[in-house]
mmCIF file of all heavy atoms in Angstrom:
data_model
loop_
_atom_site.group_PDB
_atom_site.id
_atom_site.type_symbol
_atom_site.label_atom_id
_atom_site.label_comp_id
_atom_site.label_asym_id
_atom_site.label_seq_id
_atom_site.Cartn_x
_atom_site.Cartn_y
_atom_site.Cartn_z
ATOM 1 N N ILE A 255 4.538 -11.368 -24.097
ATOM 2 C CA ILE A 255 5.312 -11.343 -22.849
ATOM 3 C C ILE A 255 6.798 -11.494 -23.165
ATOM 4 O O ILE A 255 7.642 -10.740 -22.667
ATOM 5 C CB ILE A 255 4.857 -12.468 -21.895
ATOM 6 C CG1 ILE A 255 3.394 -12.286 -21.499
ATOM 7 C CG2 ILE A 255 5.745 -12.493 -20.646
ATOM 8 C CD1 ILE A 255 2.821 -13.474 -20.717
ATOM 9 N N LYS A 256 7.120 -12.468 -24.017
ATOM 10 C CA LYS A 256 8.526 -12.716 -24.356
ATOM 11 C C LYS A 256 9.128 -11.550 -25.126
ATOM 12 O O LYS A 256 10.326 -11.266 -24.999
ATOM 13 C CB LYS A 256 8.628 -14.002 -25.174
ATOM 14 C CG LYS A 256 8.323 -15.268 -24.394
ATOM 15 C CD LYS A 256 9.489 -15.672 -23.513
ATOM 16 C CE LYS A 256 10.660 -16.186 -24.320
ATOM 17 N NZ LYS A 256 11.756 -16.662 -23.434
ATOM 18 N N SER A 257 8.322 -10.865 -25.911
ATOM 19 C CA SER A 257 8.825 -9.711 -26.659
ATOM 20 C C SER A 257 9.229 -8.594 -25.711
ATOM 21 O O SER A 257 10.266 -7.943 -25.904
ATOM 22 C CB SER A 257 7.756 -9.223 -27.639
ATOM 23 O OG SER A 257 8.182 -8.062 -28.310
ATOM 24 N N ARG A 258 8.411 -8.345 -24.667
ATOM 25 C CA ARG A 258 8.728 -7.294 -23.698
ATOM 26 C C ARG A 258 9.808 -7.745 -22.722
ATOM 27 O O ARG A 258 10.659 -6.956 -22.309
ATOM 28 C CB ARG A 258 7.461 -6.895 -22.934
ATOM 29 C CG ARG A 258 7.668 -5.857 -21.828
ATOM 30 C CD ARG A 258 8.068 -4.488 -22.388
ATOM 31 N NE ARG A 258 8.270 -3.504 -21.336
ATOM 32 C CZ ARG A 258 7.345 -2.628 -20.930
ATOM 33 N NH1 ARG A 258 6.146 -2.622 -21.504
ATOM 34 N NH2 ARG A 258 7.617 -1.762 -19.980
ATOM 35 N N LEU A 259 9.754 -9.029 -22.338
ATOM 36 C CA LEU A 259 10.687 -9.560 -21.324
ATOM 37 C C LEU A 259 11.368 -10.810 -21.874
ATOM 38 O O LEU A 259 11.033 -11.938 -21.513
ATOM 39 C CB LEU A 259 9.919 -9.891 -20.037
ATOM 40 C CG LEU A 259 9.249 -8.709 -19.320
ATOM 41 C CD1 LEU A 259 8.319 -9.210 -18.226
ATOM 42 C CD2 LEU A 259 10.301 -7.767 -18.740
ATOM 43 N N PRO A 260 12.343 -10.635 -22.770
ATOM 44 C CA PRO A 260 12.990 -11.798 -23.385
ATOM 45 C C PRO A 260 13.753 -12.673 -22.399
ATOM 46 O O PRO A 260 14.074 -13.822 -22.717
ATOM 47 C CB PRO A 260 13.941 -11.167 -24.414
ATOM 48 C CG PRO A 260 14.121 -9.752 -23.969
ATOM 49 C CD PRO A 260 12.843 -9.360 -23.317
ATOM 50 N N ILE A 261 14.012 -12.160 -21.197
ATOM 51 C CA ILE A 261 14.707 -12.959 -20.184
ATOM 52 C C ILE A 261 13.768 -13.931 -19.486
ATOM 53 O O ILE A 261 14.214 -14.781 -18.707
ATOM 54 C CB ILE A 261 15.375 -12.055 -19.128
ATOM 55 C CG1 ILE A 261 14.332 -11.138 -18.457
ATOM 56 C CG2 ILE A 261 16.497 -11.251 -19.738
ATOM 57 C CD1 ILE A 261 14.883 -10.308 -17.304
ATOM 58 N N TYR A 262 12.464 -13.843 -19.752
ATOM 59 C CA TYR A 262 11.491 -14.674 -19.059
ATOM 60 C C TYR A 262 11.336 -16.045 -19.714
ATOM 61 O O TYR A 262 11.289 -16.158 -20.949
ATOM 62 C CB TYR A 262 10.121 -13.973 -19.027
ATOM 63 C CG TYR A 262 9.873 -13.185 -17.754
ATOM 64 C CD1 TYR A 262 10.849 -12.329 -17.251
ATOM 65 C CD2 TYR A 262 8.679 -13.306 -17.054
ATOM 66 C CE1 TYR A 262 10.634 -11.611 -16.084
ATOM 67 C CE2 TYR A 262 8.452 -12.593 -15.891
ATOM 68 C CZ TYR A 262 9.436 -11.751 -15.407
ATOM 69 O OH TYR A 262 9.235 -11.055 -14.247
ATOM 70 N N ALA A 263 11.233 -17.071 -18.876
ATOM 71 C CA ALA A 263 10.790 -18.400 -19.299
ATOM 72 C C ALA A 263 9.361 -18.583 -18.818
ATOM 73 O O ALA A 263 9.004 -18.100 -17.740
ATOM 74 C CB ALA A 263 11.693 -19.477 -18.712
ATOM 75 N N LEU A 264 8.537 -19.252 -19.584
ATOM 76 C CA LEU A 264 7.107 -19.300 -19.296
ATOM 77 C C LEU A 264 6.622 -20.674 -18.864
ATOM 78 O O LEU A 264 5.442 -21.007 -19.003
ATOM 79 C CB LEU A 264 6.313 -18.800 -20.512
ATOM 80 C CG LEU A 264 6.580 -17.330 -20.876
ATOM 81 C CD1 LEU A 264 5.736 -16.910 -22.071
ATOM 82 C CD2 LEU A 264 6.332 -16.400 -19.697
ATOM 83 N N ASP A 265 7.529 -21.478 -18.288
ATOM 84 C CA ASP A 265 7.096 -22.718 -17.648
ATOM 85 C C ASP A 265 6.265 -22.391 -16.414
ATOM 86 O O ASP A 265 6.518 -21.402 -15.712
ATOM 87 C CB ASP A 265 8.303 -23.553 -17.219
ATOM 88 C CG ASP A 265 9.152 -23.994 -18.393
ATOM 89 O OD1 ASP A 265 8.609 -24.654 -19.285
ATOM 90 O OD2 ASP A 265 10.355 -23.661 -18.414
ATOM 91 N N SER A 266 5.281 -23.240 -16.132
ATOM 92 C CA SER A 266 4.462 -23.064 -14.924
ATOM 93 C C SER A 266 5.034 -23.897 -13.784
ATOM 94 O O SER A 266 5.458 -25.045 -13.987
ATOM 95 C CB SER A 266 3.022 -23.493 -15.205
ATOM 96 O OG SER A 266 2.257 -23.461 -14.014
ATOM 97 N N TYR A 267 5.034 -23.288 -12.584
ATOM 98 C CA TYR A 267 5.579 -23.958 -11.398
ATOM 99 C C TYR A 267 4.546 -24.098 -10.281
ATOM 100 O O TYR A 267 4.868 -24.592 -9.216
ATOM 101 C CB TYR A 267 6.789 -23.181 -10.858
ATOM 102 C CG TYR A 267 8.000 -23.271 -11.744
ATOM 103 C CD1 TYR A 267 8.187 -22.364 -12.786
ATOM 104 C CD2 TYR A 267 8.951 -24.262 -11.554
ATOM 105 C CE1 TYR A 267 9.303 -22.438 -13.607
ATOM 106 C CE2 TYR A 267 10.084 -24.347 -12.362
ATOM 107 C CZ TYR A 267 10.249 -23.438 -13.394
ATOM 108 O OH TYR A 267 11.348 -23.530 -14.209
ATOM 109 N N ALA A 268 3.337 -23.631 -10.495
ATOM 110 C CA ALA A 268 2.343 -23.627 -9.425
ATOM 111 C C ALA A 268 2.096 -25.044 -8.902
ATOM 112 O O ALA A 268 2.123 -26.012 -9.672
ATOM 113 C CB ALA A 268 1.036 -23.009 -9.937
ATOM 114 N N PRO A 269 1.843 -25.155 -7.603
ATOM 115 C CA PRO A 269 1.821 -24.095 -6.590
ATOM 116 C C PRO A 269 3.222 -23.660 -6.185
ATOM 117 O O PRO A 269 4.177 -24.435 -6.308
ATOM 118 C CB PRO A 269 1.100 -24.758 -5.411
ATOM 119 C CG PRO A 269 1.501 -26.201 -5.524
ATOM 120 C CD PRO A 269 1.547 -26.481 -6.996
ATOM 121 N N ALA A 270 3.313 -22.422 -5.672
ATOM 122 C CA ALA A 270 4.606 -21.920 -5.208
ATOM 123 C C ALA A 270 5.126 -22.792 -4.077
ATOM 124 O O ALA A 270 4.351 -23.304 -3.256
ATOM 125 C CB ALA A 270 4.464 -20.478 -4.737
ATOM 126 N N ARG A 271 6.431 -22.960 -4.046
ATOM 127 C CA ARG A 271 7.045 -23.820 -3.030
ATOM 128 C C ARG A 271 8.253 -23.130 -2.412
ATOM 129 O O ARG A 271 8.784 -22.163 -2.951
ATOM 130 C CB ARG A 271 7.498 -25.146 -3.657
ATOM 131 C CG ARG A 271 6.390 -25.888 -4.391
ATOM 132 C CD ARG A 271 6.912 -27.146 -5.062
ATOM 133 N NE ARG A 271 5.915 -27.723 -5.966
ATOM 134 C CZ ARG A 271 4.973 -28.562 -5.582
ATOM 135 N NH1 ARG A 271 4.888 -28.916 -4.307
ATOM 136 N NH2 ARG A 271 4.111 -29.042 -6.458
ATOM 137 N N ARG A 272 8.692 -23.665 -1.282
ATOM 138 C CA ARG A 272 9.931 -23.229 -0.652
ATOM 139 C C ARG A 272 11.070 -24.131 -1.107
ATOM 140 O O ARG A 272 10.871 -25.234 -1.629
ATOM 141 C CB ARG A 272 9.802 -23.234 0.869
ATOM 142 C CG ARG A 272 8.725 -22.265 1.376
ATOM 143 C CD ARG A 272 8.765 -22.133 2.877
ATOM 144 N NE ARG A 272 9.988 -21.482 3.336
ATOM 145 C CZ ARG A 272 10.206 -20.166 3.274
ATOM 146 N NH1 ARG A 272 9.280 -19.369 2.785
ATOM 147 N NH2 ARG A 272 11.330 -19.656 3.723
ATOM 148 N N MET A 273 12.283 -23.677 -0.859
ATOM 149 C CA MET A 273 13.438 -24.397 -1.370
ATOM 150 C C MET A 273 13.617 -25.779 -0.748
ATOM 151 O O MET A 273 14.236 -26.660 -1.351
ATOM 152 C CB MET A 273 14.691 -23.559 -1.157
ATOM 153 C CG MET A 273 14.755 -22.323 -2.028
ATOM 154 S SD MET A 273 16.230 -21.341 -1.683
ATOM 155 C CE MET A 273 17.516 -22.533 -2.026
ATOM 156 N N ASP A 274 13.084 -25.969 0.469
ATOM 157 C CA ASP A 274 13.248 -27.278 1.101
ATOM 158 C C ASP A 274 12.210 -28.295 0.620
ATOM 159 O O ASP A 274 12.223 -29.453 1.039
ATOM 160 C CB ASP A 274 13.208 -27.163 2.627
ATOM 161 C CG ASP A 274 11.928 -26.508 3.140
ATOM 162 O OD1 ASP A 274 11.038 -26.221 2.317
ATOM 163 O OD2 ASP A 274 11.830 -26.264 4.357
ATOM 164 N N ASP A 275 11.314 -27.879 -0.274
ATOM 165 C CA ASP A 275 10.336 -28.788 -0.861
ATOM 166 C C ASP A 275 11.024 -29.587 -1.974
ATOM 167 O O ASP A 275 11.649 -28.991 -2.864
ATOM 168 C CB ASP A 275 9.163 -27.973 -1.429
ATOM 169 C CG ASP A 275 8.004 -28.832 -1.891
ATOM 170 O OD1 ASP A 275 8.248 -29.855 -2.572
ATOM 171 O OD2 ASP A 275 6.853 -28.478 -1.578
ATOM 172 N N PRO A 276 10.954 -30.923 -1.966
ATOM 173 C CA PRO A 276 11.632 -31.710 -3.004
ATOM 174 C C PRO A 276 11.155 -31.389 -4.418
ATOM 175 O O PRO A 276 11.884 -31.652 -5.387
ATOM 176 C CB PRO A 276 11.311 -33.157 -2.618
ATOM 177 C CG PRO A 276 10.275 -33.111 -1.564
ATOM 178 C CD PRO A 276 10.317 -31.766 -0.940
ATOM 179 N N GLU A 277 9.949 -30.784 -4.552
ATOM 180 C CA GLU A 277 9.438 -30.424 -5.870
ATOM 181 C C GLU A 277 9.840 -29.016 -6.297
ATOM 182 O O GLU A 277 9.489 -28.576 -7.402
ATOM 183 C CB GLU A 277 7.904 -30.530 -5.886
ATOM 184 C CG GLU A 277 7.385 -31.953 -5.702
ATOM 185 C CD GLU A 277 7.851 -32.873 -6.811
ATOM 186 O OE1 GLU A 277 7.735 -32.489 -7.994
ATOM 187 O OE2 GLU A 277 8.360 -33.965 -6.491
ATOM 188 N N PHE A 278 10.582 -28.320 -5.431
ATOM 189 C CA PHE A 278 10.975 -26.947 -5.766
ATOM 190 C C PHE A 278 11.811 -26.943 -7.047
ATOM 191 O O PHE A 278 12.731 -27.751 -7.214
ATOM 192 C CB PHE A 278 11.784 -26.330 -4.624
ATOM 193 C CG PHE A 278 12.218 -24.906 -4.906
ATOM 194 C CD1 PHE A 278 11.369 -23.849 -4.644
ATOM 195 C CD2 PHE A 278 13.460 -24.628 -5.453
ATOM 196 C CE1 PHE A 278 11.747 -22.535 -4.901
ATOM 197 C CE2 PHE A 278 13.855 -23.315 -5.721
ATOM 198 C CZ PHE A 278 12.991 -22.278 -5.445
ATOM 199 N N GLY A 279 11.491 -26.018 -7.929
ATOM 200 C CA GLY A 279 12.270 -25.858 -9.147
ATOM 201 C C GLY A 279 11.887 -26.792 -10.274
ATOM 202 O O GLY A 279 12.477 -26.733 -11.363
ATOM 203 N N HIS A 280 10.877 -27.642 -10.050
ATOM 204 C CA HIS A 280 10.439 -28.562 -11.097
ATOM 205 C C HIS A 280 9.167 -28.023 -11.743
ATOM 206 O O HIS A 280 8.136 -27.875 -11.061
ATOM 207 C CB HIS A 280 10.177 -29.948 -10.514
ATOM 208 C CG HIS A 280 11.400 -30.624 -9.988
ATOM 209 N ND1 HIS A 280 12.316 -31.253 -10.808
ATOM 210 C CD2 HIS A 280 11.879 -30.757 -8.718
ATOM 211 C CE1 HIS A 280 13.294 -31.749 -10.084
ATOM 212 N NE2 HIS A 280 13.058 -31.464 -8.803
ATOM 213 N N PRO A 281 9.184 -27.737 -13.039
ATOM 214 C CA PRO A 281 7.953 -27.285 -13.700
ATOM 215 C C PRO A 281 6.863 -28.337 -13.588
ATOM 216 O O PRO A 281 7.145 -29.528 -13.461
ATOM 217 C CB PRO A 281 8.383 -27.084 -15.164
ATOM 218 C CG PRO A 281 9.876 -26.995 -15.135
ATOM 219 C CD PRO A 281 10.325 -27.822 -13.973
ATOM 220 N N ASN A 282 5.606 -27.876 -13.623
ATOM 221 C CA ASN A 282 4.485 -28.818 -13.485
ATOM 222 C C ASN A 282 4.017 -29.378 -14.823
ATOM 223 O O ASN A 282 3.023 -30.098 -14.884
ATOM 224 C CB ASN A 282 3.318 -28.165 -12.733
ATOM 225 C CG ASN A 282 2.763 -26.939 -13.445
ATOM 226 O OD1 ASN A 282 2.848 -26.810 -14.666
ATOM 227 N ND2 ASN A 282 2.190 -26.009 -12.678
ATOM 228 N N GLY A 283 4.722 -29.015 -15.903
ATOM 229 C CA GLY A 283 4.377 -29.544 -17.222
ATOM 230 C C GLY A 283 3.521 -28.626 -18.056
ATOM 231 O O GLY A 283 3.325 -28.874 -19.251
ATOM 232 N N ASN A 284 3.010 -27.557 -17.459
ATOM 233 C CA ASN A 284 2.180 -26.602 -18.188
ATOM 234 C C ASN A 284 2.978 -25.352 -18.536
ATOM 235 O O ASN A 284 4.070 -25.132 -18.016
ATOM 236 C CB ASN A 284 0.954 -26.218 -17.355
ATOM 237 C CG ASN A 284 0.062 -27.407 -17.069
ATOM 238 O OD1 ASN A 284 -0.189 -28.224 -17.959
ATOM 239 N ND2 ASN A 284 -0.404 -27.520 -15.833
ATOM 240 N N GLN A 285 2.401 -24.542 -19.415
ATOM 241 C CA GLN A 285 3.000 -23.266 -19.801
ATOM 242 C C GLN A 285 2.069 -22.123 -19.408
ATOM 243 O O GLN A 285 0.852 -22.297 -19.350
ATOM 244 C CB GLN A 285 3.243 -23.223 -21.313
ATOM 245 C CG GLN A 285 4.319 -24.182 -21.796
ATOM 246 C CD GLN A 285 5.714 -23.650 -21.529
ATOM 247 O OE1 GLN A 285 6.066 -22.543 -21.929
ATOM 248 N NE2 GLN A 285 6.518 -24.442 -20.838
ATOM 249 N N MET A 286 2.643 -20.960 -19.125
ATOM 250 C CA MET A 286 1.839 -19.778 -18.859
ATOM 251 C C MET A 286 1.075 -19.422 -20.138
ATOM 252 O O MET A 286 1.647 -19.437 -21.227
ATOM 253 C CB MET A 286 2.711 -18.603 -18.424
ATOM 254 C CG MET A 286 3.600 -18.899 -17.216
ATOM 255 S SD MET A 286 2.659 -19.425 -15.766
ATOM 256 C CE MET A 286 1.735 -17.927 -15.416
ATOM 257 N N ASN A 287 -0.212 -19.119 -19.984
ATOM 258 C CA ASN A 287 -1.045 -18.925 -21.183
ATOM 259 C C ASN A 287 -1.409 -17.470 -21.424
ATOM 260 O O ASN A 287 -2.455 -17.160 -21.966
ATOM 261 C CB ASN A 287 -2.299 -19.795 -21.103
ATOM 262 C CG ASN A 287 -3.204 -19.414 -19.933
ATOM 263 O OD1 ASN A 287 -2.853 -18.539 -19.144
ATOM 264 N ND2 ASN A 287 -4.358 -20.063 -19.847
ATOM 265 N N GLY A 288 -0.541 -16.563 -20.980
ATOM 266 C CA GLY A 288 -0.763 -15.155 -21.272
ATOM 267 C C GLY A 288 -0.840 -14.306 -20.028
ATOM 268 O O GLY A 288 -0.614 -14.775 -18.902
ATOM 269 N N ALA A 289 -1.144 -13.035 -20.232
ATOM 270 C CA ALA A 289 -1.157 -12.077 -19.129
ATOM 271 C C ALA A 289 -2.066 -10.914 -19.509
ATOM 272 O O ALA A 289 -2.548 -10.827 -20.647
ATOM 273 C CB ALA A 289 0.261 -11.574 -18.842
ATOM 274 N N VAL A 290 -2.307 -10.056 -18.547
ATOM 275 C CA VAL A 290 -3.009 -8.794 -18.801
ATOM 276 C C VAL A 290 -2.056 -7.669 -18.412
ATOM 277 O O VAL A 290 -1.398 -7.724 -17.365
ATOM 278 C CB VAL A 290 -4.319 -8.698 -18.002
ATOM 279 C CG1 VAL A 290 -5.001 -7.347 -18.250
ATOM 280 C CG2 VAL A 290 -5.263 -9.838 -18.379
ATOM 281 N N PHE A 291 -1.986 -6.659 -19.277
ATOM 282 C CA PHE A 291 -1.071 -5.535 -19.068
ATOM 283 C C PHE A 291 -1.883 -4.271 -18.823
ATOM 284 O O PHE A 291 -2.746 -3.914 -19.632
ATOM 285 C CB PHE A 291 -0.182 -5.360 -20.301
ATOM 286 C CG PHE A 291 0.862 -4.291 -20.169
ATOM 287 C CD1 PHE A 291 1.926 -4.427 -19.293
ATOM 288 C CD2 PHE A 291 0.785 -3.135 -20.936
ATOM 289 C CE1 PHE A 291 2.898 -3.446 -19.170
ATOM 290 C CE2 PHE A 291 1.748 -2.139 -20.827
ATOM 291 C CZ PHE A 291 2.815 -2.299 -19.947
ATOM 292 N N TRP A 292 -1.627 -3.626 -17.683
ATOM 293 C CA TRP A 292 -2.228 -2.331 -17.371
ATOM 294 C C TRP A 292 -1.183 -1.255 -17.656
ATOM 295 O O TRP A 292 -0.235 -1.078 -16.875
ATOM 296 C CB TRP A 292 -2.676 -2.295 -15.912
ATOM 297 C CG TRP A 292 -4.023 -2.895 -15.670
ATOM 298 C CD1 TRP A 292 -5.219 -2.243 -15.655
ATOM 299 C CD2 TRP A 292 -4.339 -4.277 -15.406
ATOM 300 N NE1 TRP A 292 -6.253 -3.117 -15.412
ATOM 301 C CE2 TRP A 292 -5.750 -4.374 -15.251
ATOM 302 C CE3 TRP A 292 -3.579 -5.435 -15.294
ATOM 303 C CZ2 TRP A 292 -6.395 -5.581 -14.993
ATOM 304 C CZ3 TRP A 292 -4.214 -6.646 -15.044
ATOM 305 C CH2 TRP A 292 -5.603 -6.710 -14.887
ATOM 306 N N PRO A 293 -1.298 -0.517 -18.779
ATOM 307 C CA PRO A 293 -0.214 0.368 -19.219
ATOM 308 C C PRO A 293 0.010 1.590 -18.342
ATOM 309 O O PRO A 293 1.093 2.176 -18.367
ATOM 310 C CB PRO A 293 -0.651 0.780 -20.634
ATOM 311 C CG PRO A 293 -2.137 0.617 -20.642
ATOM 312 C CD PRO A 293 -2.422 -0.543 -19.752
ATOM 313 N N LYS A 294 -0.992 2.003 -17.563
ATOM 314 C CA LYS A 294 -0.855 3.229 -16.773
ATOM 315 C C LYS A 294 -0.163 3.000 -15.431
ATOM 316 O O LYS A 294 0.129 3.966 -14.713
ATOM 317 C CB LYS A 294 -2.238 3.854 -16.533
ATOM 318 C CG LYS A 294 -2.953 4.310 -17.796
ATOM 319 C CD LYS A 294 -2.168 5.392 -18.512
ATOM 320 C CE LYS A 294 -2.922 5.935 -19.714
ATOM 321 N NZ LYS A 294 -2.139 6.971 -20.430
ATOM 322 N N ALA A 295 0.083 1.762 -15.076
ATOM 323 C CA ALA A 295 0.705 1.472 -13.781
ATOM 324 C C ALA A 295 2.173 1.881 -13.773
ATOM 325 O O ALA A 295 2.775 2.169 -14.812
ATOM 326 C CB ALA A 295 0.569 -0.017 -13.466
ATOM 327 N N GLY A 296 2.749 1.894 -12.580
ATOM 328 C CA GLY A 296 4.158 2.264 -12.451
ATOM 329 C C GLY A 296 4.577 2.230 -11.002
ATOM 330 O O GLY A 296 3.981 1.539 -10.177
ATOM 331 N N TYR A 297 5.596 3.016 -10.684
ATOM 332 C CA TYR A 297 6.054 3.073 -9.303
ATOM 333 C C TYR A 297 6.663 4.432 -9.015
ATOM 334 O O TYR A 297 7.043 5.175 -9.934
ATOM 335 C CB TYR A 297 7.063 1.953 -8.998
ATOM 336 C CG TYR A 297 8.396 2.079 -9.713
ATOM 337 C CD1 TYR A 297 9.484 2.715 -9.113
ATOM 338 C CD2 TYR A 297 8.572 1.560 -10.995
ATOM 339 C CE1 TYR A 297 10.698 2.825 -9.771
ATOM 340 C CE2 TYR A 297 9.780 1.669 -11.655
ATOM 341 C CZ TYR A 297 10.851 2.302 -11.036
ATOM 342 O OH TYR A 297 12.052 2.428 -11.683
ATOM 343 N N VAL A 298 6.742 4.765 -7.737
ATOM 344 C CA VAL A 298 7.330 6.030 -7.284
ATOM 345 C C VAL A 298 8.756 5.748 -6.824
ATOM 346 O O VAL A 298 9.006 4.793 -6.072
ATOM 347 C CB VAL A 298 6.483 6.647 -6.160
ATOM 348 C CG1 VAL A 298 7.154 7.888 -5.589
ATOM 349 C CG2 VAL A 298 5.091 6.998 -6.697
ATOM 350 N N THR A 299 9.672 6.562 -7.272
ATOM 351 C CA THR A 299 11.094 6.283 -7.066
ATOM 352 C C THR A 299 11.548 6.441 -5.622
ATOM 353 O O THR A 299 12.488 5.776 -5.196
ATOM 354 C CB THR A 299 11.943 7.213 -7.955
ATOM 355 O OG1 THR A 299 11.575 8.584 -7.664
ATOM 356 C CG2 THR A 299 11.712 6.929 -9.426
ATOM 357 N N ASP A 300 10.903 7.309 -4.862
ATOM 358 C CA ASP A 300 11.352 7.581 -3.491
ATOM 359 C C ASP A 300 10.123 7.766 -2.601
ATOM 360 O O ASP A 300 9.605 8.874 -2.462
ATOM 361 C CB ASP A 300 12.231 8.832 -3.460
ATOM 362 C CG ASP A 300 12.912 9.054 -2.114
ATOM 363 O OD1 ASP A 300 12.395 8.557 -1.093
ATOM 364 O OD2 ASP A 300 13.956 9.737 -2.081
ATOM 365 N N PRO A 301 9.617 6.687 -1.993
ATOM 366 C CA PRO A 301 8.368 6.799 -1.222
ATOM 367 C C PRO A 301 8.482 7.721 -0.012
ATOM 368 O O PRO A 301 7.521 8.437 0.301
ATOM 369 C CB PRO A 301 8.078 5.353 -0.804
ATOM 370 C CG PRO A 301 9.359 4.614 -0.969
ATOM 371 C CD PRO A 301 10.089 5.295 -2.073
ATOM 372 N N ALA A 302 9.632 7.738 0.672
ATOM 373 C CA ALA A 302 9.786 8.643 1.816
ATOM 374 C C ALA A 302 9.681 10.096 1.359
ATOM 375 O O ALA A 302 9.039 10.932 2.016
ATOM 376 C CB ALA A 302 11.116 8.393 2.523
#
Side-chain angles (χ1 to χ4, degrees):
I255 298 172
K256 291 283 289 184
S257 176
R258 177 67 180 264
L259 297 169
I261 57 174
Y262 265 47
L264 297 181
D265 297 302
S266 174
Y267 290 88
R271 305 176 191 274
R272 298 189 67 77
M273 291 178 59
D274 57 4
D275 188 315
E277 295 299 312
F278 180 85
H280 294 281
N282 61 27
N284 298 317
Q285 292 282 305
M286 305 302 295
N287 63 356
V290 178
F291 184 68
W292 276 267
K294 297 298 185 181
Y297 68 93
V298 174
T299 56
D300 189 336

